[in-house]
């Protein structure tokens, strides 16, 4: 159940007001917060904030768990089908809650189509591969198409209007806007039965605003902090976070994989699942999971059809 910041021992109403104004509503959002960030956002002294975090941890019993409790927590993780059985298998059953899944690959490799499909599929019942939940779709490139949602919903025998009612869309116009939207999600997600947050793409504004090698370190630092914020969102509210990242193909790399050479995936320092997508013949696409010892190795093929993502 929901435990308010007001329930944390030692938190009075004036501090609670400040926490809530900064978007921290539940005790869990405090437990997973970083002290410096919490202090910055609330205007409270770091020392005070550290005490609040400690108190929240004590109250919620942030202690060792037994293996059986670990098992129980794993069972709480939800999975969303991609529409392709082989892609689901590659992901260990589908896109998971409590984690970030990054789809990276060149232009046209299917990143946006997968985001559309997941926004529809999350609404399915668990028996059909969904989580009976709603989706938030943050679009940085203006490539969201309601027509695709309609077509994908129809193909699954769902009412297209209902499906579209359950997808909250927002265009992010720059990286600060994007960060502010995610802050807002700490309030919005638990109130609206959201089980999937899509960020298509997570990198484009950061790339445009911090161009070139001279800004690389600053860009990566901002991006890492943004990704950690997304990770906390995923964990705190048991939602799936799906981000995309366009990676340039490099024609000057002749062997190995040309798309991994530049930029690479962005999740290197964040826990999560990274899926590389490549174009193949016609509507075929190839997916591969990188750096995930717990998932099956190898590549799978899926297709993008008028109905959506399929085998
Ligand atoms: P990315 O986001 O990785 O750049 P997209 O997800 O936008 O790529 O994929 C674009 C591809 O999706 C197109 O090249 C096309 O093959 C396929 N596609 C898009 N819309 C449809 C549709 N209505 N029917 C079939 N395939 C489609
Ligand atoms: Mg795209």
């Amino acid at each position: 159940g929901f435990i308010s910041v007001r329930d944390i021992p030692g938190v009075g109403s004036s501090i609670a007001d400040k926490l809530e104004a900064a978007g921290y509503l539940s005790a869990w959002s405090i437990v997973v917060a970083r002290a410096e960030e919490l202090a910055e956002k609330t205007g409270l002294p770091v020392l005070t904030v550290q005490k609040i975090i400690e108190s929240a941890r004590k109250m919620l019993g942030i202690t060792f768990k037994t293996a059986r409790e670990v098992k129980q927590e794993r069972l709480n993780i939800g999975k969303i089908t991609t529409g392709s059985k082989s892609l689901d298998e590659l992901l260990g059953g589908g896109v998971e809650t409590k984690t970030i899944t990054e789809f990276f690959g060149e232009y046209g490799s299917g990143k946006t189509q997968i985001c559309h499909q997941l926004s529809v599929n999350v609404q399915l019942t668990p028996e059909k591969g969904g989580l009976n939940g709603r989706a938030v779709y943050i679009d940085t490139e203006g490539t969201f198409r309601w027509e695709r949602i309609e077509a994908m919903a129809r193909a699954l025998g769902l009412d297209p209007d209902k499906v579209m009612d359950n997808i909250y869309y927002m265009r992010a116009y720059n990286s600060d806007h994007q960060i502010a939207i995610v802050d807002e999600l700490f309030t919005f997600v638990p109130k609206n039965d959201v089980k999937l947050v899509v960020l298509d793409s997570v990198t484009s504004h950061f790339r445009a605003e911090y161009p070139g090698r001279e800004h690389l370190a600053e860009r990566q630092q901002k991006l890492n902090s943004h990704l950690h914020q997304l990770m906390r969102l995923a964990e705190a509210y048991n939602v799936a976070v799906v981000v995309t990242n366009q990676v340039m193909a490099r024609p000057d790399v002749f062997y190995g994989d040309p798309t991994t050479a530049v930029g690479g995936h962005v999740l290197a320092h964040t826990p999560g699942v990274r899926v590389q997508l490549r174009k193949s013949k016609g509507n075929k696409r190839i997916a591969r999971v990188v750096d995930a010892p717990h998932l099956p190795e190898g590549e799978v093929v899926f297709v993008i059809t008028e109905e959506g993502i399929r085998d």
Side-chain angles (χ1 to χ4, degrees):
F2 179 81
I3 306 166
S4 163
V5 290
R6 293 176 189 277
D7 301 327
I8 301 170
V11 171
S13 63
S14 76
I15 286 181
D17 288 346
K18 283 186 182 144
L19 292 170
E20 288 184 350
Y24 295 86
L25 298 188
S26 74
W28 282 106
S29 70
I30 300 297
V31 163
V32 295
R34 277 190 307 116
E36 310 85 79
E37 193 177 338
L38 192 55
E40 195 183 312
K41 286 194 184 143
T42 54
L44 292 164
V46 177
L47 241 120
T48 306
V49 157
Q50 279 168 343
K51 281 188 185 141
I52 296 170
I53 293 174
E54 205 177 303
S55 178
R57 287 185 178 169
K58 271 202 190 118
M59 176 180 72
L60 294 169
I62 307 302
T63 56
F64 283 108
K65 295 174 253 194
T66 65
R68 212 153 76 81
E69 286 163 343
V70 174
K71 177 186 173 189
Q72 199 51 49
E73 276 191 8
R74 280 298 303 176
L75 293 177
N76 286 342
I77 287 178
K79 289 173 185 177
I80 308 166
T81 178
T82 59
S84 152
K85 283 212 167 65
S86 47
L87 185 52
D88 286 352
E89 264 164 41
L90 184 78
L91 295 168
V95 166
E96 290 189 346
T97 61
K98 293 197 182 180
T99 195
I100 304 179
T101 303
E102 172 186 353
F103 289 97
F104 71 100
E106 63 183 302
Y107 175 79
S109 58
K111 303 181 293 296
T112 297
Q113 294 302 310
I114 289 177
C115 291
H116 280 68
Q117 187 72 64
L118 290 168
S119 301
V120 174
N121 290 2
V122 69
Q123 302 182 38
L124 294 166
T125 60
E127 300 77 56
K128 293 192 166 161
L131 296 172
N132 276 330
R134 296 183 174 143
V136 162
Y137 200 109
I138 305 164
D139 181 11
T140 70
E141 294 169 337
T143 52
F144 178 83
R145 296 285 176 273
W146 61 265
E147 294 92 334
R148 291 299 290 140
I149 299 293
E150 238 183 25
M152 289 172 177
R154 280 220 176 85
L156 291 173
L158 303 171
D159 177 345
D161 286 345
K162 277 198 186 135
V163 169
M164 288 192 286
D165 278 341
N166 288 330
I167 299 174
Y168 299 104
Y169 172 84
M170 204 182 300
R171 179 85 194 260
Y173 290 100
N174 55 54
S175 66
D176 284 336
H177 187 202
Q178 186 174 323
I179 290 165
I181 293 169
V182 175
D183 276 342
E184 181 60 26
L185 289 179
F186 281 83
T187 313
F188 189 85
V189 163
K191 277 194 199 151
N192 292 283
D193 297 323
V194 172
K195 281 286 153 199
L196 168 70
V197 171
V198 167
L199 232 164
D200 184 24
S201 95
V202 73
T203 42
S204 57
H205 286 317
F206 291 89
R207 287 230 171 88
E209 292 164 34
Y210 304 93
R213 291 212 162 267
E214 67 270 33
H215 293 118
L216 195 62
E218 193 185 358
R219 182 214 296 169
Q220 199 56 44
Q221 192 199 338
K222 297 228 163 177
L223 207 44
N224 281 348
S225 139
H226 185 49
L227 286 161
H228 278 117
Q229 180 196 32
L230 286 165
M231 193 68 209
R232 285 200 297 281
L233 182 76
E235 282 176 346
Y237 299 117
N238 195 16
V239 296
V241 172
V242 169
V243 304
T244 70
N245 174 26
Q246 187 148 310
V247 180
M248 299 294 168
R250 252 179 74 169
D252 56 324
V253 176
F254 290 111
Y255 53 90
D257 177 15
T259 56
T260 52
V262 175
H265 52 73
V266 290
L267 276 175
H269 305 290
T270 315
V273 178
R274 305 164 256 281
V275 187
Q276 182 183 32
L277 302 178
R278 292 192 335 263
K279 286 196 243 186
S280 184
K281 281 196 187 120
N283 66 351
K284 288 201 173 89
R285 298 292 184 274
I286 300 162
R288 185 170 73 104
V289 170
V290 301
D291 303 339
H294 65 291
L295 290 174
E297 274 187 43
E299 301 183 333
V300 300
V301 177
F302 66 91
V303 293
I304 309 174
T305 72
E306 171 59 28
E307 284 80 41
I309 305 295
R310 295 291 185 272
D311 277 304

